[in-house]
């Protein structure tokens, strides 16, 4: 089971804070540092010092880290044109020496689009599908050849399809709870399917849908890695769990129900329930980015039991 650190910087984090967390992620033996792609905070708080752009952040981290994988859960297809996104991600992959992964989603948070003047189209899923075909098609085009695409939302003519990533194939992550279109899209494009904030039972159902869609599309059942994203709140004892829950404005019992919360033994046990339904990777949503002791505890007493 891979453990990855997943951050939500729109809630309030500077680049320096993210760099500190990313370096701790690397030093403590976690597999990867991922971040959300949002421009507006959600819920309470002031969001200070303001948003940071996902791919600018990852470009900086690409030069400041050596081992960990870097990526997004999920880049919003509404934020960037697909040709530009392909260039950005390929360049960051080069800057990292081939450690980038692209999580790409349709985009959903209408308020942040209004706040920053970003168009929020009514039909988003069809745009996401075209973006996936374009981005992966640009990367797969042989050097010296050109790429053309003529869709309902995007039109590319004689693109040189440059630059190329450092990796021969950048892993693509697709996720979500959708019962029909999402599994079909994952079957076509995903190297990894992520179930965000779902129970083991719901994860098992959704993973089954994706496997079935992959087999229908002619892909091997094990061609896609399955993962979960879950909020995490671990303490060496009950008072420490309660303190960490209070720091992020959540209730312990709610966190135990909907995330990974409790003592290390409790969290290891629950991760085992996800492993039993096919999950091979957990994205640990860290909401208090100043609490590096939390990461140390997870590494020493959770990660060590899963490695």
């Amino acid at each position: 089971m891979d453990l990855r650190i997943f951050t939500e910087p729109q809630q309030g984090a500077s680049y320096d804070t993210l760099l500190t967390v990313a370096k701790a992620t690397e030093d403590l033996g976690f597999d990867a540092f991922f971040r959300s792609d949002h421009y507006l905070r959600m819920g309470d708080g002031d969001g200070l010092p303001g948003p940071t752009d996902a791919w600018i952040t990852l470009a900086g981290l690409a030069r400041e880290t050596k081992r960990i994988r870097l990526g997004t859960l999920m880049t919003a297809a509404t934020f960037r044109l697909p040709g530009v996104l392909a260039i950005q991600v390929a360049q960051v992959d080069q800057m990292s020496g081939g450690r980038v992964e692209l999580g790409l989603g349709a985009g959903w948070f209408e308020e942040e689009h209004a706040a920053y003047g970003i168009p929020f189209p009514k039909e988003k899923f069809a745009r996401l599908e075209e973006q996936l075909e374009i981005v992966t098609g640009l990367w797969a085009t042989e050097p010296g050849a050109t790429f053309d695409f003529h869709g309902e939302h995007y039109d590319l003519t004689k693109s040189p399809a440059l630059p190329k990533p450092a990796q021969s194939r950048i892993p693509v992550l697709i996720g979500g709870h959708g019962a029909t279109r999402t599994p079909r899209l994952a079957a076509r494009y995903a190297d990894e399917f992520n179930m965000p904030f779902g129970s083991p039972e719901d994860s098992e159902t959704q993973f089954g849908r994706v496997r079935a869609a992959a087999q229908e599309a002619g892909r091997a059942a094990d061609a896609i890695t399955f993962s979960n994203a879950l909020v995490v709140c671990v303490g060496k004892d009950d008072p420490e769990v309660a303190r960490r829950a209070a720091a992020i404005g959540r209730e312990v019992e709610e966190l135990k129900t909907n995330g990974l919360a409790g003592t290390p033994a409790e969290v290891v046990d629950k991760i085992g329930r996800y492993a039993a339904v096919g999950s091979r990777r957990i994205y640990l949503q860290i909401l208090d980015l100043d609490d590096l002791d939390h990461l140390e505890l997870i590494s020493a007493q959770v990660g060590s039991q899963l490695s």
Side-chain angles (χ1 to χ4, degrees):
M1 178 68 74
D2 293 333
L3 294 183
R4 296 182 159 191
I5 298 303
F6 170 40
T7 62
E8 301 275 5
Q10 76 277 356
Q11 299 304 103
S14 67
Y15 172 75
D16 286 340
T17 297
L18 296 173
L19 175 59
T20 298
V21 175
K23 286 186 171 180
T25 298
E26 184 157 89
D27 293 342
L28 292 170
F30 293 101
D31 182 60
F33 175 94
F34 271 58
R35 59 157 292 163
S36 61
D37 189 10
H38 287 293
Y39 292 131
L40 195 68
R41 66 167 178 80
M42 301 167 195
D44 297 333
D46 55 22
L48 293 175
T52 50
D53 181 82
W55 286 101
I56 291 177
T57 297
L58 294 175
L61 299 180
R63 307 303 295 173
E64 297 281 359
T65 58
K66 302 297 182 185
R67 177 188 58 80
I68 50 174
R69 307 289 294 177
L70 300 166
T72 51
L73 284 181
M74 300 283 187
T75 286
T78 50
F79 286 176
R80 299 166 181 85
L81 297 172
V84 174
L85 180 62
I87 291 170
Q88 290 172 321
V89 178
Q91 185 177 10
V92 178
D93 193 52
Q94 292 173 356
M95 294 167 70
S96 72
R99 294 183 285 123
V100 159
E101 303 183 12
L102 171 63
L104 188 58
W108 62 271
F109 190 20
E110 186 172 4
E111 288 85 349
E112 69 186 337
H113 293 73
Y116 286 96
I118 304 167
F120 189 71
K122 183 177 181 180
E123 175 49 66
K124 294 178 287 298
F125 198 90
R127 290 175 181 270
L128 170 62
E129 189 164 9
E130 288 192 14
Q131 285 221 358
L132 284 162
E133 185 170 349
I134 292 166
V135 170
T136 57
L138 287 167
W139 291 337
T141 299
E142 293 293 326
T146 58
F147 177 83
D148 290 82
F149 179 87
H150 307 292
E152 181 180 351
H153 303 286
Y154 304 104
D155 200 290
L156 287 75
T157 302
K158 295 183 179 179
S159 172
L162 296 171
K164 298 301 182 195
Q167 298 174 88
S168 59
R169 178 182 174 87
I170 290 180
V172 172
L173 289 74
I174 294 172
H177 296 257
T180 304
R181 292 198 296 176
T182 296
R184 286 205 298 261
L185 201 63
R188 185 174 179 186
Y189 293 107
D191 298 283
E192 178 178 334
F193 182 82
N194 181 264
M195 181 66 167
F197 311 111
S199 68
E201 295 76 20
D202 289 343
S203 298
E204 183 176 26
T205 298
Q206 188 70 333
F207 293 167
R209 292 177 181 137
V210 174
R211 287 193 188 94
Q215 290 174 336
E216 186 176 338
R219 294 184 70 184
D222 60 354
I224 299 173
T225 298
F226 292 94
S227 65
N228 289 87
L230 295 158
V231 63
V232 66
C233 180
V234 186
K236 64 180 183 294
D237 52 31
D238 290 343
E240 188 167 89
V241 175
R243 176 178 63 77
R244 287 202 163 105
I248 60 174
R250 303 280 286 269
E251 297 293 330
V252 172
E253 290 308 311
E254 178 268 322
L255 287 168
K256 287 186 176 183
T257 299
N258 298 314
L260 299 172
T263 63
E266 290 177 290
V267 170
V268 168
D269 180 69
K270 189 163 186 183
I271 289 175
R273 293 172 57 195
Y274 286 95
V277 301
S279 185
R280 296 294 174 262
R281 188 170 288 157
I282 301 290
Y283 292 82
L284 303 170
Q285 186 193 46
I286 302 292
L287 297 179
D288 184 354
L289 298 182
D290 294 320
D291 187 2
L292 298 182
D293 290 342
H294 193 197
L295 298 187
E296 292 182 9
L297 177 66
I298 295 169
S299 173
Q301 297 193 33
V302 176
S304 61
Q305 296 187 58
L306 299 172
S307 60

